């Protein structure tokens, strides 16, 4: 994983000093070669040891190794995302369009790297082997939960979906060992979801959390987790990046489920044909 991607994805879990160092590195990666650890520390108003410890936190022996690794990543890829084409001066429309496209591409790439193949395949096995899959989310998370529950149903997966926590809690009486629950929560802090998660696990079911790549109660107690990385200093842009990266992650999970079980793939075709026929009559 690119050191810049790793630093960006871990930013939310850093201390204030670490975030100051991380932000400088992320915003000035191409200039980093001109800074020694002492110069960087002086520019940020932190101690040199803080810079060294920051580097070691990401698995490097010290700041020179971190700087070298970032330089190599930039040389290989030209940065985390493709360079933007030159825009005419004052062309705000084109600038905004290109900036959003690049930011979405970066968020999706970071999210891909944070969910390795082994983890994705483990979750595919859990979902494909479950007798029932419970799906739950609140607010905006509920929109993604509802859509993914529908996709699972098209694959022939017996799916239990509710947008009301009380109804979902009541339905846990039907949960059995081997069932799976997908819990959608961007920040993983809602106490209702934690309660539902614990009750479901008490029924010997497996919980899969879908949250931001942060330390949060829901992710900490889940049996498996999918994580989303989306960062931008502008809150409205960051929200868009989260939705885009989450949609990419769910789309890929759906494709993996289609390929993992030929019978489910066949059932998908049957259900899509039934829906087409229903809409045409």
């Amino acid at each position: 994983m690119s050191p810049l991607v790793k630093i960006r994805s871990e930013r939310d879990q850093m201390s204030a000093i670490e975030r100051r160092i991380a932000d400088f590195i992320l915003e000035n990666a191409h200039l980093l070669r001109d800074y020694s650890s002492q110069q960087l520390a002086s520019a940020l108003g932190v101690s040199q040891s803080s810079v060294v410890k920051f580097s070691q936190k990401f698995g490097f022996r010290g700041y020179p190794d971190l700087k070298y690794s970032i330089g190599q990543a930039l040389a290989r890829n030209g940065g985390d995302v493709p360079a933007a084409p030159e825009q005419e001066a004052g062309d705000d429309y084109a600038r905004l369009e290109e900036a959003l496209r690049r930011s979405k591409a970066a968020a999706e790439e970071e999210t891909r790297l944070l969910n390795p193949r082994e983890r994705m395949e483990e979750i595919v096995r859990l979902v494909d082997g479950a007798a029932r899959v419970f799906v739950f989310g609140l607010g905006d998370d509920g929109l993604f939960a509802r859509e993914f529950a529908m996709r699972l149903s098209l694959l022939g997966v017996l799916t239990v979906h509710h947008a009301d926590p009380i109804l979902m809690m009541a339905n846990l009486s039907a949960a059995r060992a081997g069932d799976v629950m997908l819990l959608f929560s961007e920040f993983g802090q809602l106490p209702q979801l934690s309660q539902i998660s614990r009750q479901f696990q008490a029924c010997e079911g497996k919980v899969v959390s879908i949250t931001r790549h942060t330390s949060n109660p829901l992710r900490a107690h889940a049996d498996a987790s999918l994580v989303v990385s989306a960062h931008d200093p502008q809150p409205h842009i960051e929200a868009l990046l989260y939705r885009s990266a989450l949609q990419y992650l769910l789309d890929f999970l759906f494709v993996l489920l289609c390929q993992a079980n030929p019978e489910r793939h066949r059932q998908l075709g049957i259900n899509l044909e039934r829906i087409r026929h229903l809409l045409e009559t």
Side-chain angles (χ1 to χ4, degrees):
M1 183 186 301
S2 161
L4 292 176
V5 169
K6 191 170 184 180
I7 290 171
R8 189 179 294 113
S9 66
E10 296 284 350
R11 184 188 179 280
D12 290 346
Q13 304 172 60
M14 295 179 185
S15 67
I17 290 178
E18 289 173 338
R19 281 199 299 273
R20 197 182 311 170
I21 298 171
D23 289 344
F24 183 90
I25 291 175
L26 293 171
E27 294 168 10
N28 302 279
H30 289 86
L31 304 177
L32 208 59
R33 64 181 179 273
D34 298 326
Y35 283 82
S36 67
S37 59
Q38 182 59 61
Q39 290 170 325
L40 179 59
S42 298
L44 297 176
V46 301
S47 67
Q48 186 176 13
S49 64
S50 294
V51 175
V52 175
K53 289 177 181 177
F54 178 90
S55 304
Q56 293 172 340
K57 178 176 181 176
F58 291 94
F60 297 96
R61 288 178 295 178
Y63 173 74
D65 286 343
L66 172 61
K67 182 168 67 171
Y68 177 78
S69 180
I70 290 174
Q72 290 291 97
L74 292 174
R76 283 195 304 270
N77 305 318
D80 283 323
V81 291
E86 292 185 9
Q87 307 291 349
E88 294 182 12
D91 190 353
D92 288 342
Y93 179 96
R95 178 180 57 79
L96 288 172
E97 180 184 39
E98 180 62 17
L100 181 60
R101 185 193 68 79
R102 284 161 51 83
S103 295
K104 282 188 172 185
E108 291 177 11
E109 177 64 7
E110 290 171 23
T111 297
R112 181 185 70 82
L113 293 171
L114 289 169
N115 295 277
R117 176 174 179 172
E118 317 83 71
R119 183 187 303 169
M120 296 293 290
E121 290 180 341
E122 175 194 1
I123 293 171
V124 167
R125 284 193 295 271
L126 286 173
V127 173
D128 185 53
R132 283 171 295 270
V133 177
F134 295 70
V135 184
F136 185 69
L138 292 172
D140 283 352
D141 296 306
L143 301 177
F144 287 96
R146 178 184 177 185
E147 181 187 5
F148 198 68
M150 182 188 71
R151 291 193 191 186
L152 291 177
S153 297
L154 289 173
L155 288 174
V157 177
L158 180 56
T159 307
V160 180
H161 169 258
H162 288 293
D164 186 319
I166 295 176
L167 289 176
M168 180 55 80
M169 186 68 82
N171 272 271
L172 294 189
S173 60
R176 299 291 182 269
D179 288 349
V180 170
M181 174 172 280
L182 303 179
L183 281 176
F184 290 72
S185 178
E186 181 174 356
F187 299 103
Q189 301 285 352
L190 294 174
Q192 303 99 313
L193 272 68
S194 293
Q195 291 178 39
I196 290 172
S197 175
R198 288 194 296 270
Q199 289 295 323
F200 190 77
Q201 288 172 321
C203 299
E204 299 185 38
K206 299 292 185 181
V207 171
V208 177
S209 66
I210 301 99
T211 71
R212 276 186 174 272
H213 184 240
T214 57
S215 297
N216 60 74
L218 189 61
R219 180 184 175 194
H221 295 99
D223 298 287
S225 63
L226 294 172
V227 294
V228 177
S229 178
H231 303 280
D232 194 274
Q234 302 178 83
H236 67 291
I237 298 296
E238 185 169 59
L240 295 176
L241 299 186
Y242 179 82
R243 293 172 65 88
S244 175
L246 175 56
Q247 190 63 64
Y248 152 77
L249 184 61
L250 295 176
D251 288 347
F252 186 48
L253 180 60
F254 177 74
V255 170
L256 289 175
L257 285 165
C258 290
Q259 298 301 315
N261 189 328
E263 177 57 28
R264 295 211 186 280
H265 201 176
R266 186 185 72 83
Q267 188 62 52
L268 172 65
I270 293 172
N271 286 333
L272 290 176
E273 179 60 26
R274 287 173 177 168
I275 292 171
R276 186 190 65 79
H277 181 72
L278 180 66
L279 293 175
E280 290 178 350
T281 56

